Amino acid sequence: MIQDDTLVGGLAILIAALSTAIAIGPWMVPYQIRSIAAIQKRFGSVAARGAWLLIAFLSAISGAAILSGVRPSYASPPTTLNQNQ
């Protein structure tokens, strides 16, 4: 596993945890973000919480995929990092 993958995957998992905490917690400040505020104004607070949960779910899935090494077929990690070319 490449160290960059660990960093990015771990960050995605951290964002998922933070987004989940925002969705189920009593904080109102994160709902002042422009996109979330527009959702809340148009569809209500339940939809805004759902948007935070969707962000959390997608971040968790992305983090798990990155940490497990899933890559597109055209992408491959470098075989050796210290090649003398």
Side-chain angles (χ1 to χ4, degrees):
M1 181 182 303
I2 301 174
Q3 290 177 345
D4 295 342
D5 290 348
T6 305
L7 175 67
V8 174
L11 188 59
I13 298 293
L14 181 67
I15 290 171
L18 182 63
S19 297
T20 302
I22 289 170
I24 63 174
W27 306 317
M28 294 312 295
V29 176
Y31 291 93
Q32 294 175 359
I33 296 173
R34 187 179 350 168
S35 300
I36 302 296
I39 293 170
Q40 188 174 17
K41 182 179 178 183
R42 185 168 181 153
F43 300 109
S45 62
V46 174
R49 287 190 188 273
W52 278 115
L53 285 174
L54 180 64
I55 292 168
F57 177 73
L58 293 175
S59 295
I61 295 297
S62 298
I66 291 168
L67 288 174
S68 67
V70 174
R71 296 181 182 277
S73 62
Y74 58 83
S76 62
T79 54
T80 58
L81 297 176
N82 296 326
Q83 292 180 345
N84 294 329
Q85 295 180 354

